Amino acid sequence: MEAEYDVIILGAGAAGLSAGLYTARAMMNTLILESLGPGGQLLITDEIENYPGFRNGVKGPELSQEMEEQTTRFGAKLEYTEVEGLDDLDKPLKVVHTYDRDYTARAIIIATGGAHNKLGVPGEEAYAGKGVSYCAVCDGNFFRGQDVVVVGGGDSALDEGHYLSGIVNSVTIIHRRDELRGTKLLQDRAFNNPKVKFLWSHVVEEFVGNDILEVARVKDLKSEKVYDYPTAGAFIYVGFHPCTEYLQGTMELDPLGHVYTDIHMRTNIPGVYACGDARADSTRQLGAAVGDGITAALAAYHDLSS
Ligand code: NAP
């Protein structure tokens, strides 16, 4: 039996679209499966300042649209469905189970990326969409002119806090330590932004309100004091996890669920590759995801041709 596709790419974020661009241009029959919309993290990123070639920055959704059009122009097919699992990975004809149907391919490139972590405190789920958010670009406008909090001290918290400060009245960054994890440039920008305040060595213990969020119940870790901090919105940026649940039991994953690869993006299974935020040791940068995708595509092309 012949495989329907030379390669199936799981995920149409920056890594998956870059892989698809290269496999399609190498005349490999390419299918990209995506559960939401093409772009992945690009879709929820407003301004990207560190992608080479765009000295004035570029908007995430605009770049993702360009990438999608470029990749499909060279013949990669894009379908929207949820991948449920993989089978027969050790065989020449590998099977991808999706919500709608099964597909077969000679090679599979995993590029399903990751998602922001939840904080895991009471009220977080109840107020999701009613004040609690994981996407400033999607939801920031609902809080125009109001006071919001951002939870976390990494690049995401600082980047998104900066974006929000252009819309809201004030942004309070709640961080569990008295030192930020984010890069120096983003830290300096936050410290120099008059709309950004900090609650150092604080954690959120609960989100409280009526129909909508009204306060973040916070704890000062130094004084042990618990008190209510009024806020209209809470944006959670406390890290990131790979979207690889569907791979459990099929291949080598690290303890957090990232796929192990070599420097050519080959996994421990011949004909299966992983790239971008889903792979172990990813730097989680857009440029790196693009490079990973290209590397995976070239490895797949080399392996299928030899
Ligand atoms: P991150 O770097 O892992 O930072 C997560 C932050 O959340 C840390 O400050 C951490 O505190 C805090 N945190 C974790 N669990 C918590 C909890 N349960 N309660 C309270 N606070 C908690 O994650 P990220 O900011 O999403 O960044 C992920 C990756 O994407 C990084 O490699 C980053 O460089 C990259 N990124 C880059 C850019 C950019 O280049 N502009 C933008 C966004 C993301 P501690 O510091 O105490 O651990």
Side-chain angles (χ1 to χ4, degrees):
M1 213 174 119
E2 289 242 324
E4 288 170 274
Y5 293 94
D6 292 320
V7 59
I8 296 181
I9 298 167
L10 313 181
L17 288 172
S18 304
L21 174 64
Y22 272 63
T23 56
R25 289 194 79 239
M27 304 305 285
M28 294 167 80
N29 188 9
T30 300
L31 173 68
I32 306 177
L33 297 174
E34 166 61 43
S35 60
L36 298 167
Q41 293 296 307
L42 285 175
L43 280 188
I44 56 168
T45 305
D46 179 50
E47 190 76 24
I48 298 161
E49 294 176 330
N50 56 1
Y51 190 60
F54 294 88
R55 64 181 164 156
N56 296 321
V58 58
K59 300 276 180 201
E62 275 171 30
L63 184 60
S64 95
Q65 194 178 340
E66 289 292 333
M67 282 186 175
E68 181 208 342
E69 284 176 14
Q70 188 182 15
T71 297
T72 51
R73 183 162 73 86
F74 284 104
K77 199 168 146 193
L78 186 56
E79 284 190 12
Y80 295 97
T81 185
E82 178 101 28
V83 174
E84 294 191 320
L86 307 179
D87 254 328
D88 295 342
L89 293 184
D90 53 341
K91 305 212 171 96
L93 208 88
K94 303 176 197 315
V95 179
V96 179
H97 300 295
T98 76
Y99 186 76
D100 303 297
R101 51 161 288 201
D102 292 348
Y103 297 89
T104 56
R106 297 166 68 208
I108 292 174
I109 298 179
I110 295 158
T112 37
H116 289 290
N117 291 343
K118 300 227 157 116
L119 196 52
V121 297
E124 183 177 10
E125 255 179 53
Y127 290 104
K130 297 175 182 169
V132 173
S133 169
Y134 305 85
C135 178
V137 174
C138 320
D139 300 329
N141 259 306
F142 295 124
F143 303 95
R144 191 164 283 280
Q146 302 186 71
D147 300 309
V148 302
V149 301
V150 167
V151 186
D155 283 345
S156 297
L158 296 176
D159 242 357
E160 306 303 325
H162 178 77
Y163 169 75
L164 286 166
S165 74
I167 302 171
V168 301
N169 179 53
S170 78
V171 177
T172 302
I173 295 181
I174 301 177
H175 183 38
R176 63 183 176 183
R177 292 186 293 138
D178 52 13
E179 198 184 329
L180 294 168
R181 178 179 293 280
T183 48
K184 177 87 172 59
L185 186 137
L186 299 183
Q187 288 195 28
D188 289 348
R189 191 166 68 179
F191 294 146
N192 291 322
N193 186 335
K195 283 189 162 186
V196 175
K197 303 183 269 186
F198 289 88
L199 277 186
W200 299 107
S201 303
H202 274 65
V203 289
V204 175
E205 292 209 318
E206 189 176 355
F207 291 109
V208 185
N210 280 307
D211 288 344
I212 54 168
L213 177 69
E214 289 173 358
V215 302
R217 186 155 294 154
V218 296
K219 181 177 185 179
D220 181 333
L221 295 175
K222 292 201 167 151
S223 68
E224 301 273 309
K225 191 179 152 205
V226 176
Y227 61 99
D228 285 352
Y229 195 83
T231 189
F235 290 83
I236 317 289
Y237 289 106
V238 292
F240 203 75
H241 62 272
C243 295
T244 53
E245 298 81 7
Y246 66 95
L247 296 175
Q248 287 296 337
T250 60
M251 66 186 66
E252 275 185 52
L253 305 176
D254 76 5
L256 295 176
H258 302 94
V259 185
Y260 285 118
T261 64
D262 66 10
I263 57 167
H264 302 288
M265 307 300 138
R266 293 185 176 103
T267 69
N268 64 318
I269 302 172
V272 181
Y273 313 81
C275 51
D277 292 350
R279 79 170 181 93
D281 297 324
S282 159
T283 53
R284 299 210 207 118
Q285 300 294 306
L286 171 59
V290 168
D292 277 8
I294 294 169
T295 306
L298 294 175
Y301 177 71
H302 176 273
D303 295 346
L304 290 194
S305 320
S306 56

